[in-house]
Amino acid sequence: GKLLRAIDRGEITPVGVDRPIHVDVRLVVATHRDLPEMVAAGAFREDLFERLQQLPIHVPPLRERDGDVELLAQAFLSQWNDEHGTTLRFSSAALEAITGYEWPRNVRQLQNVVRRMCVFTEQAVIPVDAVRGSLDVAGGGEDSGAPQGAAESAPAVVHRMWPREEPMDVREALEETERAFYAEALRRAGGNRSEAARLLGVQAPAFRKAIRERFPELA
């Protein structure tokens, strides 16, 4: 209701203020949900939906945007090099593996995987094995485009994630492994969070909180 008033009248009432103030803003919203379906199910306000529909723009998933995957991967790699003073580059096989993957969680997943490869690669040219390993740790299998990392044996996860020279950050490793299990549960449950929580043996509210606060890239 407050958002509707802001859109209709250009007014908001800040916390601690007893009278509305005028605002002049442009509202841009985004979602991966099917809003018409949610409106029909009573899960989203129809009047709000109509007000947000003035200029709808459909952004296709990354897998449908030919050429964008390579451009974004190179941009993320360049950003890493600038931040850390490195000169990393992709091998042709690694770049082929990156562009051939479906990226079910879109740009955020691609960025995370590129940065993960940069962390664990010890040579100037990133090999194709680094792509496969980073996708597994991220909870995405190379061939299916869906999370597969949770199905690995524990020793396989440990050996791949353990740095060759630096001390192990076990908290980060545990978080990565937990993220993989959450991703796999969501895949097996077809995106149904309540069912995914049941598969992991955790309460649904705790599962949703973990996705919201700790693993937002899985949302």
Side-chain angles (χ1 to χ4, degrees):
K2 293 179 180 179
L3 186 55
L4 284 174
R5 180 174 181 175
I7 296 173
D8 285 342
R9 303 182 185 179
E11 294 179 346
I12 65 170
T13 304
V15 175
V17 177
D18 58 3
R19 64 179 60 186
I21 62 173
H22 179 73
V23 292
D24 183 9
V25 299
R26 173 177 294 172
L27 189 65
V28 181
V29 299
T31 182
H32 65 281
R33 303 291 184 89
D34 187 334
L35 292 187
E37 182 178 301
M38 294 179 68
V39 169
F44 195 92
R45 290 184 60 148
E46 183 175 6
D47 48 2
L48 177 58
F49 172 72
E50 292 299 332
R51 285 163 174 79
L52 297 176
Q53 279 289 95
Q54 293 185 18
L55 184 61
I57 300 174
H58 172 67
V59 180
L62 194 53
R63 63 180 175 273
E64 297 177 8
R65 288 148 55 185
D66 292 341
D68 281 9
V69 172
E70 180 175 352
L71 289 173
L72 288 167
Q74 295 286 15
F76 293 142
L77 181 61
S78 178
Q79 183 183 48
W80 175 275
N81 284 332
D82 290 343
E83 292 175 355
H84 297 84
T86 54
T87 57
L88 294 172
R89 59 187 177 87
F90 296 116
S91 68
S92 57
L95 199 56
E96 183 178 352
I98 290 172
T99 56
Y101 186 66
E102 291 189 353
W103 302 107
R105 294 189 294 281
N106 292 298
V107 176
R108 180 71 64 82
Q109 182 188 20
L110 174 60
Q111 182 181 30
N112 289 341
V113 167
V114 170
R115 296 183 72 86
R116 189 174 291 110
M117 284 188 289
C118 292
V119 169
F120 289 107
T121 297
E122 297 182 343
Q123 50 209 50
V125 180
I126 298 175
V128 67
D129 288 346
V131 181
R132 295 167 179 158
S134 295
L135 284 171
D136 286 342
V137 173
E142 174 195 3
D143 298 324
S144 66
Q148 299 290 337
E152 292 184 288
S153 65
V157 174
V158 169
H159 286 302
R160 191 185 62 251
M161 296 183 65
W162 198 298
R164 292 180 176 85
E165 298 178 357
E166 299 179 359
M168 181 66 177
D169 186 340
V170 70
R171 289 172 297 182
E172 181 179 350
L174 290 173
E175 183 175 354
E176 291 287 356
T177 304
E178 186 178 3
R179 181 185 288 108
F181 274 94
Y182 271 69
E184 175 65 5
L186 283 168
R187 184 188 72 83
R188 296 191 181 198
N192 186 306
R193 296 185 180 183
S194 296
E195 175 62 14
R198 187 191 68 80
L199 292 174
L200 290 177
V202 301
Q203 296 296 318
F207 182 94
R208 289 193 291 269
K209 182 179 181 181
I211 293 294
R212 183 175 63 254
E213 298 180 0
R214 298 171 56 216
F215 310 129
E217 67 275 11
L218 300 182

